[in-house]
Amino acid sequence: MITPLLLCGGSGTRLWPLSRKSYPKQFTQLTGEDSLFQASAKRLAGDGFAAPIVVTGSDFRFIVTEQLAAVELGAAATLIEPEGRNTAPAILAGALMLEAQTPGALMLVAPSDHVIPDAEQFRDTVQAATKAAQDGQLVTFGIRPDRAETGYGWLEMSGPATGDFAPVPQPLKAFVEKPDSATAQAMLEGGQHLWNAGIFLFSTTTILAAFEAFAPDMLAAVRRAVDEAERDLGFTRLAGAPWAQADDISIDYAVMEKADNLTVVPFAGGWSDLGGWDAVWREAGPDADGVVTNGPATSIDCKDTLLRAEADHQELVGIGLEDVIAVAMPDAVLVAHKDRAQDVKKAVAALKAKGAVQAETLPRDYRPWGWFESLVVGGRFQVKRIHVHPGAALSLQSHHHRSEHWIVVEGTAKVTVDEDIKLVTENQSVYIPLGAVHRMENPGKVPMVLIEVQTGSYLGEDDIIRYEDVYSRGQGAKG
């Protein structure tokens, strides 16, 4: 039995403005009906695979649970990182947790934001690697390259691959850093190199021995973080103080490049890390003119272009464009030459430097109970749309600085205002005076949507006195 470890903490700045720190790319629907995270979890489910371990940040813990439930996958063991420390500490924490439960278990480490269209072929490739992992090898999976890619690290095999890149384990000769164009072309033509997908298979015994040999200080720090972890509802919160002592470093640098028990297994199927909008364009299947449109987008005489619109009330139209990426969100628009896709992260840095909220925050704010978005913001008022999942409830709370007026537009709300509890249905409203203790709940089996009008001297999300909360959030937490 193989236990997947899904790494789910990246920020995905190269896919701005769709992917942002508040809601990164792994949770978005980029190439299909499922999010990248959901597709990754489904790919690693079924015969031969145990329930996954997910490593993520505190802000995303309920998104993980909700998205797994939406695709009818069982509950995952979710580890909450106090802060992102790269892949080495995250993988080590998962290995320590799994070793405590099942000593010597096999663990498959996979990012949660990759695209692998043929899930069955990938699972077969993993199964081909299990004996090597059971025999004490650190197995990495390399992707058959189809172009001289300079944006990926590469893996050098000890010998040439078979003609069909069959999943035959062989010793790994070396990791290769992201190459220049000439080096990438030479590796492509040489037939002895693969793309580094950052996917690994090993036993917990083997990987913990590698950390003991090559990163003992990290092993000690992360072990303390796991030993001192606290349970929070269905999640495990790693202890912050020892976690902060672990180096911020990738598993490649911390362990893999120093070990001598490395095996590589080729994977001949399709794969992409969706590391930029050019990759999204490529994976989305351009039409005969090389054009990809998503959402309310229209192409007129365009070529090799991506047009993506993410707001129902707007239309994105491209005329005579070539090699262009255009992504329109309700609060931000990106227009770039396709060859400059990797420079999108520079835009994020520039927006952060000028203090623009669009750099990291989506207009839609996700919460354990649903989400809300601001429709209109004034000096002393704000209008929001609030979506509450069936059976969900906001915290029992009050505000120092604002009153609120709720108008239900879909479903039914159960509303508490001080001692008064009543049902409010579509086209009905209720007033929440400043200082009143209140709560909204959705008692129904369909989503409940309401329009909230706030008025007051301060409208910040931290103006909350929280009395009860089914999600165990503290005072001042949002929502």
Side-chain angles (χ1 to χ4, degrees):
M1 189 70 71
I2 298 171
T3 299
L5 179 74
L6 288 171
L7 303 176
C8 201
S11 58
T13 56
R14 288 178 293 180
L15 290 182
W16 184 91
L18 178 65
S19 173
R20 306 189 201 181
K21 184 178 180 180
S22 69
Y23 201 77
K25 70 173 183 176
Q26 59 264 30
F27 301 119
T28 62
Q29 296 170 313
L30 273 165
T31 61
E33 294 182 359
D34 294 329
S35 72
L36 299 179
F37 169 66
Q38 289 171 320
S40 298
K42 290 168 67 174
R43 185 163 55 244
L44 303 180
D47 293 342
F49 292 93
I53 299 172
V54 178
V55 184
T56 191
S58 182
D59 290 345
F60 309 133
R61 65 196 190 280
F62 292 105
I63 298 173
V64 165
T65 302
E66 179 184 328
Q67 291 206 349
L68 287 177
V71 292
E72 299 182 346
L73 290 178
T78 304
L79 289 176
I80 307 299
E81 296 179 288
E83 59 179 312
R85 307 295 291 170
N86 215 312
T87 57
I91 292 169
L92 178 52
L96 287 167
M97 180 178 176
L98 182 57
E99 172 72 8
Q101 298 170 352
T102 311
L106 290 184
M107 186 168 77
L108 178 68
V109 176
S112 61
D113 56 359
H114 290 184
V115 171
I116 301 177
D118 193 333
E120 183 176 358
Q121 183 181 6
F122 179 74
R123 288 191 291 266
D124 290 344
T125 301
V126 171
Q127 293 299 333
T130 55
K131 187 178 187 305
Q134 290 167 342
D135 290 343
Q137 292 292 299
L138 298 169
V139 180
T140 183
F141 295 88
I143 308 300
R144 176 178 59 182
D146 59 12
R147 61 186 183 276
E149 178 62 58
T150 61
Y152 300 149
W154 292 60
L155 302 169
E156 183 178 0
M157 297 178 286
S158 56
T162 61
D164 58 356
F165 284 80
V168 178
Q170 65 167 283
L172 176 65
K173 185 174 182 179
F175 289 84
V176 181
E177 295 294 324
K178 294 178 181 179
D180 58 29
S181 296
T183 302
Q185 186 62 40
M187 290 191 293
L188 177 65
E189 295 172 357
Q192 199 165 323
H193 290 80
L194 306 166
W195 290 338
N196 184 358
I199 303 174
F200 304 96
L201 178 69
F202 35 65
S203 72
T204 53
T205 302
T206 301
I207 191 62
L208 292 176
F211 274 100
E212 180 66 49
F214 304 117
D217 291 344
M218 180 183 295
L219 177 59
V222 176
R223 191 186 297 278
R224 289 196 303 274
V226 173
D227 290 344
E228 298 171 16
E230 297 180 353
R231 295 291 293 172
D232 177 5
L233 298 178
F235 312 105
T236 300
R237 286 186 177 274
L238 299 167
W243 185 258
Q245 296 174 10
D247 288 340
D248 186 341
I249 189 172
S250 73
I251 189 71
D252 287 2
Y253 288 141
V255 170
M256 296 298 174
E257 295 185 1
K258 302 172 183 177
D260 59 6
N261 56 333
L262 294 169
T263 290
V264 60
V265 176
F267 175 62
W271 170 88
S272 175
D273 71 344
L274 293 184
W277 283 112
D278 55 336
V280 175
W281 168 81
R282 190 163 45 242
E283 291 300 316
D287 66 15
D289 294 319
V291 174
V292 172
T293 59
N294 293 95
T298 301
S299 168
I300 300 173
D301 297 330
C302 294
K303 182 178 180 181
D304 298 332
T305 287
L306 170 67
L307 301 174
R308 186 178 184 113
E310 291 291 331
D312 293 337
H313 61 276
Q314 66 184 10
E315 288 285 339
L316 175 62
V317 180
I319 303 175
L321 302 177
E322 184 171 350
D323 292 321
V324 167
I325 294 165
V327 182
M329 299 288 290
D331 65 332
V333 176
L334 169 71
V335 181
H337 193 280
K338 189 148 58 65
D339 291 344
R340 301 291 299 276
Q342 295 303 309
D343 289 336
V344 171
K345 58 186 178 182
K346 295 181 180 179
V348 177
L351 290 173
K352 287 176 65 176
K354 67 186 289 186
V357 296
Q358 289 92 336
E360 296 185 332
T361 305
L362 282 171
R364 180 171 291 183
D365 207 330
Y366 290 87
R367 292 285 180 264
W369 42 260
W371 51 264
F372 69 82
E373 58 187 348
S374 294
L375 303 178
V376 181
V377 180
R380 290 179 57 89
F381 74 92
Q382 181 171 203
V383 181
K384 291 181 178 180
R385 176 168 61 168
I386 299 177
H387 175 112
V388 183
H389 299 317
L394 280 68
S395 61
L396 186 67
Q397 58 186 256
S398 65
H399 308 296
H400 283 301
H401 303 289
R402 69 175 185 258
S403 60
E404 297 171 344
H405 190 182
W406 297 342
I407 307 167
V408 175
V409 294
E410 293 182 25
T412 299
K414 180 181 178 182
V415 175
T416 299
V417 182
D418 291 328
E419 302 301 320
D420 185 24
I421 301 175
K422 62 181 178 180
L423 294 178
V424 182
T425 59
E426 290 183 12
N427 210 30
Q428 293 182 332
S429 64
V430 62
Y431 175 65
I432 315 297
L434 186 151
V437 176
H438 61 280
R439 165 184 277 160
M440 73 172 76
E441 305 171 58
N442 180 359
K445 297 184 181 298
V446 297
M448 183 268 289
V449 180
L450 60 79
I451 301 300
E452 177 181 82
V453 180
Q454 302 177 353
T455 57
S457 59
Y458 178 72
L459 306 174
E461 287 300 315
D462 55 349
D463 179 22
I464 293 179
I465 304 171
R466 199 180 304 280
Y467 304 98
E468 295 177 8
D469 183 46
V470 296
Y471 309 107
S472 298
R473 294 168 296 172
Q475 296 289 342
K478 296 180 181 180

